[in-house]
Coordinates of all heavy atoms in Angstrom, one line a residue:
V203 N 0.9 -1.2 0.0 CA 0.0 0.0 0.0 C 0.9 1.2 0.0 O 1.8 1.3 0.7 CB -0.9 0.0 1.3 CG1 -1.8 1.2 1.3 CG2 -1.8 -1.2 1.3
L204 N 0.6 2.2 -0.9 CA 1.4 3.5 -0.9 C 0.6 4.4 0.1 O -0.5 4.8 -0.1 CB 1.3 4.0 -2.3 CG 2.1 5.3 -2.6 CD1 3.6 4.9 -2.5 CD2 1.8 5.9 -3.9
V205 N 1.4 4.8 1.1 CA 0.8 5.7 2.1 C 1.1 7.1 1.9 O 2.3 7.5 1.7 CB 1.4 5.2 3.5 CG1 0.9 6.0 4.6 CG2 1.2 3.8 3.8
G206 N 0.1 8.0 2.0 CA 0.3 9.4 2.2 C 0.8 10.1 0.9 O 1.5 11.2 1.0
R207 N 0.6 9.6 -0.3 CA 1.0 10.2 -1.5 C -0.1 10.7 -2.4 O 0.1 10.8 -3.6 CB 2.0 9.3 -2.2 CG 3.3 9.0 -1.4 CD 4.2 10.2 -1.3 NE 5.5 9.9 -0.8 CZ 6.2 10.7 -0.1 NH1 5.7 12.0 0.2 NH2 7.3 10.4 0.4
D208 N -1.3 10.8 -1.9 CA -2.4 11.2 -2.7 C -2.2 12.5 -3.5 O -2.5 12.6 -4.7 CB -3.7 11.2 -1.9 CG -4.2 9.9 -1.5 OD1 -3.6 8.9 -1.8 OD2 -5.2 9.8 -0.7
A209 N -1.7 13.5 -2.7 CA -1.5 14.8 -3.3 C -0.4 14.7 -4.4 O -0.7 15.3 -5.5 CB -1.0 15.8 -2.3
E210 N 0.6 14.0 -4.2 CA 1.7 13.9 -5.2 C 1.2 13.2 -6.4 O 1.4 13.6 -7.6 CB 2.9 13.1 -4.6 CG 3.7 14.0 -3.6 CD 3.1 13.9 -2.2 OE1 2.0 13.3 -2.0 OE2 3.8 14.4 -1.2
L211 N 0.4 12.1 -6.1 CA -0.1 11.3 -7.3 C -1.1 12.2 -8.1 O -1.1 12.0 -9.4 CB -0.8 10.0 -6.8 CG 0.1 8.9 -6.4 CD1 -0.7 7.8 -5.7 CD2 0.9 8.4 -7.6
A212 N -1.9 13.0 -7.5 CA -2.8 13.9 -8.2 C -2.1 14.8 -9.1 O -2.4 15.0 -10.2 CB -3.7 14.6 -7.2
V213 N -0.9 15.4 -8.6 CA -0.1 16.3 -9.4 C 0.4 15.5 -10.6 O 0.4 16.0 -11.8 CB 1.1 16.9 -8.6 CG1 2.0 17.6 -9.5 CG2 0.5 17.8 -7.5
L214 N 1.0 14.3 -10.3 CA 1.6 13.5 -11.4 C 0.6 13.1 -12.4 O 0.8 13.1 -13.7 CB 2.4 12.4 -10.8 CG 3.6 12.8 -10.0 CD1 4.2 11.6 -9.2 CD2 4.6 13.4 -10.9
D215 N -0.7 12.7 -12.0 CA -1.7 12.3 -12.9 C -2.0 13.5 -13.8 O -2.2 13.4 -15.0 CB -2.9 12.0 -12.1 CG -2.8 10.6 -11.5 OD1 -1.9 9.8 -11.8 OD2 -3.7 10.2 -10.7
A216 N -2.1 14.7 -13.2 CA -2.5 15.9 -14.0 C -1.4 16.2 -15.0 O -1.7 16.5 -16.2 CB -2.7 17.1 -13.1
L217 N -0.1 16.0 -14.6 CA 0.9 16.2 -15.6 C 1.0 15.1 -16.7 O 1.3 15.5 -17.9 CB 2.3 16.2 -14.8 CG 2.5 17.5 -14.0 CD1 3.8 17.2 -13.1 CD2 2.7 18.7 -14.8
M218 N 0.6 14.0 -16.3 CA 0.5 13.0 -17.3 C -0.6 13.2 -18.4 O -0.5 13.1 -19.6 CB 0.2 11.6 -16.7 CG 0.0 10.4 -17.7 SD 1.4 10.2 -18.8 CE 2.7 9.7 -17.6
T219 N -1.7 13.8 -17.9 CA -2.8 14.2 -18.8 C -2.3 15.3 -19.8 O -2.6 15.2 -21.0 CB -4.0 14.7 -18.0 OG1 -4.4 13.7 -17.2 CG2 -5.2 15.2 -18.9
Q220 N -1.5 16.2 -19.2 CA -0.9 17.3 -20.1 C 0.0 16.7 -21.1 O 0.0 17.1 -22.2 CB -0.2 18.3 -19.2 CG -1.1 19.3 -18.5 CD -0.2 20.2 -17.6 OE1 0.9 20.6 -18.0 NE2 -0.8 20.7 -16.5
A221 N 0.8 15.8 -20.6 CA 1.8 15.1 -21.6 C 1.0 14.4 -22.7 O 1.5 14.5 -23.8 CB 2.6 14.2 -20.8
R222 N 0.0 13.8 -22.4 CA -0.8 13.1 -23.4 C -1.3 14.1 -24.4 O -1.5 13.7 -25.6 CB -2.0 12.3 -22.9 CG -1.6 11.0 -22.1 CD -2.9 10.4 -21.6 NE -2.7 9.5 -20.6 CZ -2.2 8.2 -20.7 NH1 -1.9 7.8 -22.0 NH2 -2.1 7.4 -19.7
A223 N -1.6 15.3 -24.0 CA -2.1 16.3 -24.8 C -0.9 17.0 -25.6 O -1.1 18.0 -26.3 CB -2.9 17.4 -24.1
G224 N 0.3 16.6 -25.4 CA 1.4 17.1 -26.2 C 2.3 18.1 -25.4 O 3.3 18.6 -25.9
A225 N 1.9 18.3 -24.2 CA 2.7 19.3 -23.4 C 3.6 18.5 -22.4 O 3.3 18.4 -21.2 CB 1.8 20.3 -22.7
G226 N 4.7 18.0 -23.0 CA 5.6 17.2 -22.1 C 6.4 18.0 -21.2 O 6.4 19.3 -21.3
G227 N 7.2 17.4 -20.4 CA 8.1 18.2 -19.5 C 8.9 17.3 -18.6 O 9.0 16.0 -18.9
V228 N 9.5 17.8 -17.7 CA 10.3 17.0 -16.7 C 9.9 17.3 -15.3 O 9.5 18.4 -15.0 CB 11.8 17.5 -16.9 CG1 12.7 16.9 -15.8 CG2 12.4 17.3 -18.2
V229 N 9.7 16.2 -14.6 CA 9.4 16.3 -13.1 C 10.6 15.8 -12.3 O 11.1 14.7 -12.6 CB 8.1 15.4 -12.9 CG1 7.8 15.5 -11.4 CG2 7.0 15.8 -13.6
L230 N 11.0 16.5 -11.4 CA 12.0 16.1 -10.5 C 11.5 15.7 -9.1 O 10.8 16.5 -8.5 CB 13.1 17.2 -10.3 CG 13.8 17.7 -11.6 CD1 14.8 18.8 -11.2 CD2 14.5 16.6 -12.3
L231 N 11.7 14.5 -8.7 CA 11.3 14.1 -7.3 C 12.6 14.1 -6.5 O 13.6 13.4 -6.8 CB 10.8 12.7 -7.4 CG 9.6 12.4 -8.3 CD1 9.2 10.9 -8.2 CD2 8.4 13.2 -7.9
T232 N 12.5 14.9 -5.4 CA 13.7 14.9 -4.6 C 13.4 14.5 -3.2 O 12.3 14.6 -2.7 CB 14.3 16.4 -4.5 OG1 13.3 17.2 -3.9 CG2 14.5 16.9 -5.9
G233 N 14.4 14.0 -2.5 CA 14.2 13.6 -1.1 C 15.3 12.8 -0.6 O 16.2 12.4 -1.3
E234 N 15.4 12.6 0.7 CA 16.5 11.8 1.3 C 16.4 10.4 0.8 O 15.4 9.9 0.4 CB 16.3 11.7 2.8 CG 16.3 13.1 3.5 CD 17.7 13.7 3.4 OE1 18.7 13.0 3.7 OE2 17.9 14.9 3.1
P235 N 17.6 9.7 0.9 CA 17.5 8.2 0.5 C 16.4 7.5 1.3 O 16.4 7.7 2.5 CB 19.0 7.8 0.9 CG 19.8 9.0 0.9 CD 18.9 10.1 1.3
G236 N 15.7 6.8 0.6 CA 14.6 6.0 1.2 C 13.3 6.8 1.5 O 12.4 6.2 2.0
A237 N 13.2 8.0 1.0 CA 12.0 8.8 1.2 C 10.9 8.4 0.4 O 9.7 8.7 0.8 CB 12.4 10.3 0.9
G238 N 11.2 7.6 -0.6 CA 10.0 7.1 -1.4 C 10.0 7.6 -2.9 O 8.9 7.5 -3.5
K239 N 11.1 8.1 -3.4 CA 11.0 8.7 -4.8 C 10.7 7.6 -5.8 O 9.9 7.8 -6.6 CB 12.4 9.4 -5.1 CG 12.8 10.4 -4.0 CD 14.2 11.0 -4.4 CE 15.3 10.0 -4.1 NZ 15.5 9.6 -2.7
T240 N 11.5 6.5 -5.7 CA 11.3 5.4 -6.7 C 9.9 4.9 -6.6 O 9.2 4.6 -7.6 CB 12.3 4.4 -6.6 OG1 13.7 5.0 -6.8 CG2 12.1 3.2 -7.5
R241 N 9.4 4.6 -5.3 CA 8.1 4.1 -5.1 C 7.1 5.0 -5.7 O 6.1 4.5 -6.4 CB 8.0 3.9 -3.6 CG 6.6 3.3 -3.2 CD 6.6 1.8 -3.4 NE 5.2 1.3 -3.2 CZ 4.8 0.8 -2.0 NH1 5.6 0.7 -1.0 NH2 3.6 0.4 -1.9
L242 N 7.2 6.2 -5.5 CA 6.2 7.2 -6.0 C 6.3 7.2 -7.6 O 5.2 7.2 -8.2 CB 6.4 8.6 -5.5 CG 5.6 9.7 -6.0 CD1 4.1 9.4 -5.7 CD2 6.0 11.0 -5.4
A243 N 7.4 7.2 -8.1 CA 7.5 7.2 -9.6 C 6.9 5.9 -10.2 O 6.2 6.0 -11.2 CB 9.0 7.3 -10.0
R244 N 7.1 4.8 -9.5 CA 6.6 3.5 -10.0 C 5.1 3.5 -9.9 O 4.3 3.1 -10.8 CB 7.2 2.4 -9.2 CG 8.6 2.1 -9.6 CD 9.1 0.7 -9.4 NE 10.5 0.5 -9.8 CZ 10.8 0.3 -11.0 NH1 10.0 0.2 -12.0 NH2 12.2 0.2 -11.3
A245 N 4.6 4.1 -8.8 CA 3.1 4.2 -8.7 C 2.5 5.1 -9.8 O 1.5 4.8 -10.4 CB 2.8 4.8 -7.3
A246 N 3.1 6.2 -10.0 CA 2.6 7.1 -11.1 C 2.7 6.4 -12.4 O 1.7 6.6 -13.2 CB 3.5 8.4 -11.1
A247 N 3.8 5.7 -12.7 CA 3.9 5.0 -13.9 C 2.8 4.0 -14.1 O 2.2 3.8 -15.2 CB 5.3 4.4 -14.1
G248 N 2.5 3.3 -13.0 CA 1.5 2.3 -13.0 C 0.1 2.8 -13.3 O -0.8 2.1 -13.8
R249 N -0.1 4.1 -13.0 CA -1.4 4.7 -13.3 C -1.5 5.2 -14.6 O -2.6 5.7 -15.1 CB -1.7 5.8 -12.2 CG -1.8 5.3 -10.9 CD -1.4 6.4 -9.8 NE -2.3 7.5 -9.8 CZ -3.3 7.7 -8.9 NH1 -3.5 6.7 -8.0 NH2 -4.1 8.7 -9.0
A250 N -0.4 5.3 -15.4 CA -0.4 6.0 -16.7 C -0.7 4.9 -17.7 O 0.1 4.5 -18.5 CB 1.0 6.5 -17.0
A251 N -2.0 4.5 -17.7 CA -2.4 3.4 -18.6 C -2.2 3.7 -20.0 O -2.5 4.8 -20.5 CB -4.0 3.1 -18.4
G252 N -1.6 2.7 -20.7 CA -1.4 2.9 -22.1 C -0.1 3.7 -22.5 O 0.3 3.7 -23.6
A253 N 0.5 4.3 -21.5 CA 1.7 5.1 -21.8 C 2.9 4.2 -21.9 O 3.0 3.2 -21.2 CB 1.9 6.2 -20.8
T254 N 3.9 4.5 -22.7 CA 5.2 3.8 -22.7 C 6.1 4.4 -21.6 O 6.2 5.6 -21.5 CB 5.9 4.0 -24.0 OG1 5.0 3.4 -25.0 CG2 7.2 3.2 -24.1
V255 N 6.5 3.5 -20.7 CA 7.4 4.0 -19.6 C 8.8 3.3 -19.8 O 8.9 2.1 -20.0 CB 6.8 3.5 -18.2 CG1 7.7 3.9 -17.1 CG2 5.4 4.1 -18.1
S256 N 9.8 4.1 -19.7 CA 11.1 3.5 -19.8 C 12.0 4.0 -18.6 O 11.9 5.2 -18.2 CB 11.8 4.1 -21.1 OG 13.1 3.5 -21.2
W257 N 12.7 3.1 -18.0 CA 13.4 3.4 -16.8 C 14.9 3.4 -17.0 O 15.5 2.6 -17.8 CB 13.1 2.3 -15.7 CG 11.7 2.4 -15.3 CD1 10.7 1.6 -15.8 CD2 11.2 3.1 -14.1 NE1 9.5 1.9 -15.0 CE2 9.8 2.8 -14.1 CE3 11.8 4.0 -13.3 CZ2 9.0 3.4 -13.1 CZ3 10.9 4.6 -12.3 CH2 9.6 4.3 -12.3
G258 N 15.7 4.2 -16.3 CA 17.0 4.1 -16.2 C 17.4 4.4 -14.7 O 16.6 5.0 -14.0
A259 N 18.6 4.0 -14.3 CA 18.9 4.2 -12.9 C 20.4 4.5 -12.8 O 21.2 3.9 -13.6 CB 18.5 3.0 -12.1
C260 N 20.8 5.3 -11.8 CA 22.2 5.5 -11.6 C 22.7 4.3 -10.8 O 22.0 3.5 -10.2 CB 22.4 6.7 -10.6 SG 21.8 8.3 -11.4
R261 N 24.0 4.0 -10.9 CA 24.7 3.1 -10.1 C 25.2 3.7 -8.8 O 25.7 4.8 -8.8 CB 25.9 2.4 -10.8 CG 25.5 1.6 -12.0 CD 26.7 0.9 -12.5 NE 26.5 0.4 -13.9 CZ 27.5 0.1 -14.7 NH1 28.7 0.3 -14.4 NH2 27.3 -0.4 -15.9
E262 N 25.1 2.9 -7.7 CA 25.7 3.4 -6.5 C 27.2 3.3 -6.5 O 27.9 4.2 -5.9 CB 25.1 2.6 -5.3 CG 23.7 2.9 -5.0 CD 23.2 2.5 -3.7 OE1 24.0 2.4 -2.7 OE2 22.0 2.3 -3.5
S263 N 27.7 2.4 -7.2 CA 29.2 2.3 -7.3 C 29.7 3.3 -8.4 O 28.9 3.7 -9.3 CB 29.6 0.9 -7.7 OG 28.9 0.5 -8.9
E264 N 31.0 3.5 -8.3 CA 31.6 4.4 -9.3 C 31.8 3.7 -10.6 O 31.7 2.4 -10.6 CB 32.9 5.0 -8.8 CG 32.7 6.0 -7.7 CD 34.0 6.5 -7.2 OE1 35.0 6.5 -8.1 OE2 34.1 7.0 -6.1
G265 N 32.1 4.4 -11.7 CA 32.5 3.7 -12.9 C 31.4 3.5 -14.0 O 31.6 2.9 -15.0
A266 N 30.2 4.1 -13.7 CA 29.2 4.0 -14.8 C 29.6 4.9 -15.9 O 30.2 5.9 -15.7 CB 27.8 4.4 -14.1
P267 N 29.2 4.5 -17.1 CA 29.4 5.5 -18.2 C 28.7 6.8 -18.0 O 27.7 6.9 -17.3 CB 28.8 4.7 -19.5 CG 28.7 3.3 -19.0 CD 28.5 3.3 -17.6
P268 N 29.3 7.8 -18.7 CA 28.5 9.1 -18.6 C 27.1 9.0 -19.0 O 26.8 8.3 -20.0 CB 29.4 10.0 -19.5 CG 30.7 9.4 -19.8 CD 30.4 7.9 -19.6
L269 N 26.2 9.8 -18.4 CA 24.8 9.8 -18.7 C 24.2 8.4 -18.8 O 23.2 8.2 -19.5 CB 24.7 10.5 -20.1 CG 25.2 11.9 -20.2 CD1 25.1 12.5 -21.6 CD2 24.5 12.9 -19.2
W270 N 24.7 7.5 -17.9 CA 24.2 6.2 -18.0 C 22.7 6.0 -17.8 O 22.1 5.2 -18.6 CB 24.9 5.3 -16.9 CG 24.6 3.9 -16.8 CD1 24.1 3.3 -15.7 CD2 24.5 2.9 -17.8 NE1 23.8 1.9 -16.0 CE2 24.2 1.7 -17.3 CE3 24.9 3.0 -19.2 CZ2 24.0 0.6 -18.1 CZ3 24.8 1.9 -20.0 CH2 24.3 0.6 -19.4
P271 N 22.0 6.7 -16.9 CA 20.6 6.6 -16.8 C 19.8 6.9 -18.1 O 18.9 6.2 -18.5 CB 20.1 7.5 -15.7 CG 21.4 7.7 -14.9 CD 22.6 7.6 -15.9
W272 N 20.3 7.9 -18.7 CA 19.7 8.3 -20.0 C 20.0 7.4 -21.2 O 19.1 7.1 -22.0 CB 20.0 9.8 -20.4 CG 19.6 10.8 -19.4 CD1 20.3 11.5 -18.5 CD2 18.2 11.1 -19.2 NE1 19.4 12.2 -17.7 CE2 18.2 12.0 -18.2 CE3 17.0 10.7 -19.8 CZ2 16.9 12.6 -17.7 CZ3 15.8 11.3 -19.4 CH2 15.8 12.2 -18.3
T273 N 21.1 6.9 -21.2 CA 21.4 5.8 -22.2 C 20.5 4.6 -22.0 O 20.0 4.1 -22.9 CB 22.9 5.3 -22.0 OG1 23.8 6.5 -22.1 CG2 23.3 4.3 -23.0
Q274 N 20.3 4.2 -20.7 CA 19.3 3.1 -20.5 C 17.9 3.4 -20.9 O 17.2 2.7 -21.6 CB 19.3 2.8 -19.0 CG 20.5 2.2 -18.5 CD 20.4 2.1 -16.9 OE1 19.9 1.2 -16.4 NE2 21.0 3.1 -16.3
V275 N 17.5 4.6 -20.6 CA 16.1 5.1 -21.0 C 15.9 5.0 -22.5 O 14.9 4.4 -23.0 CB 15.8 6.5 -20.4 CG1 14.6 7.0 -21.1 CG2 15.7 6.5 -19.0
L276 N 16.9 5.5 -23.2 CA 16.7 5.6 -24.7 C 16.8 4.3 -25.3 O 16.1 3.9 -26.2 CB 17.8 6.6 -25.2 CG 17.5 8.1 -24.7 CD1 18.7 8.9 -25.1 CD2 16.2 8.6 -25.4
R277 N 17.8 3.4 -24.8 CA 17.9 2.1 -25.3 C 16.7 1.3 -25.2 O 16.2 0.6 -26.1 CB 19.0 1.4 -24.5 CG 20.2 0.9 -25.4 CD 21.2 0.2 -24.5 NE 22.5 0.8 -24.7 CZ 23.6 0.6 -24.0 NH1 23.4 -0.1 -22.9 NH2 24.7 1.1 -24.2
R278 N 16.1 1.4 -24.0 CA 14.9 0.6 -23.7 C 13.7 1.1 -24.5 O 12.7 0.3 -24.6 CB 14.6 0.6 -22.2 CG 15.6 -0.3 -21.5 CD 15.6 0.0 -20.0 NE 16.6 -0.8 -19.4 CZ 17.0 -0.7 -18.1 NH1 16.3 0.1 -17.3 NH2 18.0 -1.5 -17.6
L279 N 13.7 2.2 -25.0 CA 12.7 2.7 -25.9 C 12.9 2.1 -27.3 O 11.9 2.3 -28.1 CB 12.7 4.2 -25.9 CG 12.1 4.9 -24.7 CD1 12.3 6.4 -24.8 CD2 10.6 4.6 -24.4
G280 N 14.0 1.5 -27.6 CA 14.2 0.8 -28.8 C 14.4 1.7 -30.0 O 14.2 1.3 -31.1
G281 N 14.7 2.9 -29.8 CA 14.9 3.8 -30.9 C 16.3 3.7 -31.4 O 17.0 2.7 -31.2
P282 N 16.8 4.6 -32.3 CA 18.1 4.5 -32.8 C 19.2 4.5 -31.7 O 18.9 5.1 -30.6 CB 18.3 5.8 -33.6 CG 17.0 6.5 -33.6 CD 16.1 5.8 -32.6
G283 N 20.3 3.8 -31.9 CA 21.3 3.8 -30.8 C 21.8 5.1 -30.4 O 22.0 6.0 -31.2
I284 N 22.0 5.2 -29.2 CA 22.6 6.5 -28.6 C 23.7 6.1 -27.7 O 23.6 5.1 -27.0 CB 21.5 7.2 -27.7 CG1 20.3 7.5 -28.5 CG2 22.0 8.4 -27.0 CD1 20.4 8.9 -29.3
T285 N 24.7 6.9 -27.8 CA 25.9 6.6 -26.9 C 26.3 7.9 -26.3 O 26.1 8.9 -26.8 CB 27.0 5.9 -27.6 OG1 28.0 5.6 -26.7 CG2 27.6 6.8 -28.7
A286 N 26.8 7.8 -25.1 CA 27.3 9.0 -24.4 C 28.8 9.1 -24.7 O 29.6 8.2 -24.5 CB 27.1 9.0 -22.9
G287 N 29.2 10.2 -25.3 CA 30.6 10.5 -25.6 C 31.4 10.7 -24.4 O 30.8 11.0 -23.2
A288 N 32.6 10.6 -24.5 CA 33.5 10.8 -23.3 C 33.3 12.2 -22.7 O 33.0 13.2 -23.4 CB 35.0 10.7 -23.7
A289 N 33.3 12.2 -21.4 CA 33.1 13.5 -20.7 C 34.3 14.4 -20.9 O 35.4 14.0 -20.8 CB 32.9 13.3 -19.2
E290 N 34.0 15.6 -21.2 CA 35.2 16.6 -21.3 C 34.8 17.8 -20.4 O 33.8 18.4 -20.5 CB 35.3 17.1 -22.8 CG 35.9 16.2 -23.7 CD 35.8 16.6 -25.2 OE1 35.8 17.9 -25.4 OE2 35.6 15.8 -26.0
G291 N 35.7 18.1 -19.5 CA 35.5 19.2 -18.5 C 34.2 19.0 -17.8 O 33.5 19.9 -17.5
G292 N 33.9 17.6 -17.4 CA 32.7 17.3 -16.6 C 31.5 17.3 -17.4 O 30.4 16.9 -16.9
A293 N 31.4 17.5 -18.7 CA 30.2 17.5 -19.5 C 30.3 16.3 -20.5 O 31.3 16.1 -21.1 CB 30.0 18.8 -20.3
A294 N 29.2 15.6 -20.7 CA 29.2 14.5 -21.7 C 28.0 14.8 -22.5 O 27.1 15.5 -22.1 CB 29.0 13.1 -21.0
R295 N 27.9 14.2 -23.7 CA 26.8 14.5 -24.7 C 26.4 13.2 -25.3 O 27.2 12.3 -25.6 CB 27.5 15.4 -25.8 CG 26.5 16.0 -26.7 CD 27.4 16.9 -27.7 NE 27.8 18.1 -27.1 CZ 27.1 19.3 -27.2 NH1 26.0 19.4 -27.8 NH2 27.6 20.4 -26.6
L296 N 25.1 13.1 -25.5 CA 24.5 11.9 -26.0 C 24.7 12.1 -27.6 O 24.3 13.1 -28.1 CB 23.0 11.7 -25.7 CG 22.8 11.2 -24.2 CD1 21.3 11.3 -23.9 CD2 23.3 9.8 -24.0
S297 N 25.1 11.0 -28.3 CA 25.2 11.1 -29.8 C 24.6 9.9 -30.4 O 24.7 8.8 -29.8 CB 26.6 11.2 -30.2 OG 27.5 11.5 -29.1
P298 N 24.0 10.0 -31.5 CA 23.5 8.8 -32.2 C 24.7 7.9 -32.6 O 25.7 8.4 -32.9 CB 22.8 9.4 -33.5 CG 22.9 10.9 -33.4 CD 23.9 11.2 -32.3
V299 N 24.4 6.6 -32.7 CA 25.5 5.7 -33.2 C 25.0 5.0 -34.5 O 23.8 4.9 -34.7 CB 25.9 4.6 -32.2 CG1 26.6 5.2 -31.0 CG2 24.7 3.9 -31.6
Ligands
ATP126 N1 4.5 6.2 0.5 C1 5.0 5.0 0.8 N2 4.2 4.1 1.3 C2 4.6 2.8 1.6 N3 5.9 2.4 1.5 C3 6.8 3.3 1.0 C4 6.3 4.7 0.6 N4 7.4 5.3 0.2 C5 8.4 4.5 0.2 N5 8.1 3.3 0.7 C6 9.0 2.1 0.9 O1 10.1 2.6 1.4 C7 11.3 2.0 0.8 C8 12.2 3.1 0.2 O2 11.5 3.7 -0.8 P1 12.2 4.1 -2.2 O3 13.1 3.0 -2.6 O4 11.1 4.5 -3.2 O5 13.1 5.3 -1.7 P2 14.0 6.3 -2.7 O6 13.6 7.7 -2.2 O7 13.8 6.0 -4.1 O8 15.4 5.9 -2.1 P3 16.9 6.1 -2.8 O9 17.2 7.5 -2.7 O10 17.8 5.3 -2.0 O11 16.7 5.7 -4.3 C9 10.7 1.0 -0.1 O12 10.6 -0.3 0.5 C10 9.3 1.6 -0.5 O13 8.5 0.6 -0.9
MG127 MG1 15.2 5.3 -5.5

């Protein structure tokens, strides 16, 4: 059971409705470790009937490729291959392969 997230789910449902109408965007969920960010995101995704949902996640250990979560998201959507170029000066860029 998801406890105490009705208000957040209502906001996310409304944003999903907007996204279906073509007004996409980015939502950032922030909170302490274990606060329930992933759980809320999964609940919101589960309510988005018919929508395609793609997940990516950071690794807790070091050594992940640059932009790794986004590489996973795009790969799982099955589109053209995308790779993250080497980081230069702290910045990396996704490029088609
Ligand atoms: N609203 C909630 N109701 C019930 N259980 C919850 C709720 N929020 C989180 N939990 C439970 O608490 C635990 C931690 O939640 P979750 O993994 O979503 O946290 P997180 O913010 O994503 O943590 P991290 O920053 O480490 O990724 C999980 O077992 C999750 O199911
Ligand atoms: Mg999490």
Side-chain angles (χ1 to χ4, degrees):
V203 179
L204 184 70
V205 178
R207 295 293 189 210
D208 289 353
E210 289 85 350
L211 283 173
V213 170
L214 293 169
D215 285 350
L217 291 170
M218 180 56 67
T219 301
Q220 283 180 29
R222 287 183 198 282
V228 174
V229 178
L230 300 179
L231 303 177
T232 66
E234 296 295 314
K239 303 177 294 294
T240 299
R241 181 75 189 267
L242 177 59
R244 291 203 177 278
R249 292 155 68 98
T254 299
V255 177
S256 184
W257 293 91
C260 297
R261 290 187 196 161
E262 289 199 23
S263 55
E264 289 183 24
L269 301 175
W270 179 237
W272 293 109
T273 305
Q274 292 170 81
V275 166
L276 294 167
R277 239 182 232 164
R278 288 169 182 169
L279 287 173
I284 298 272
T285 185
E290 284 170 33
R295 191 178 285 265
L296 288 169
S297 348
V299 287

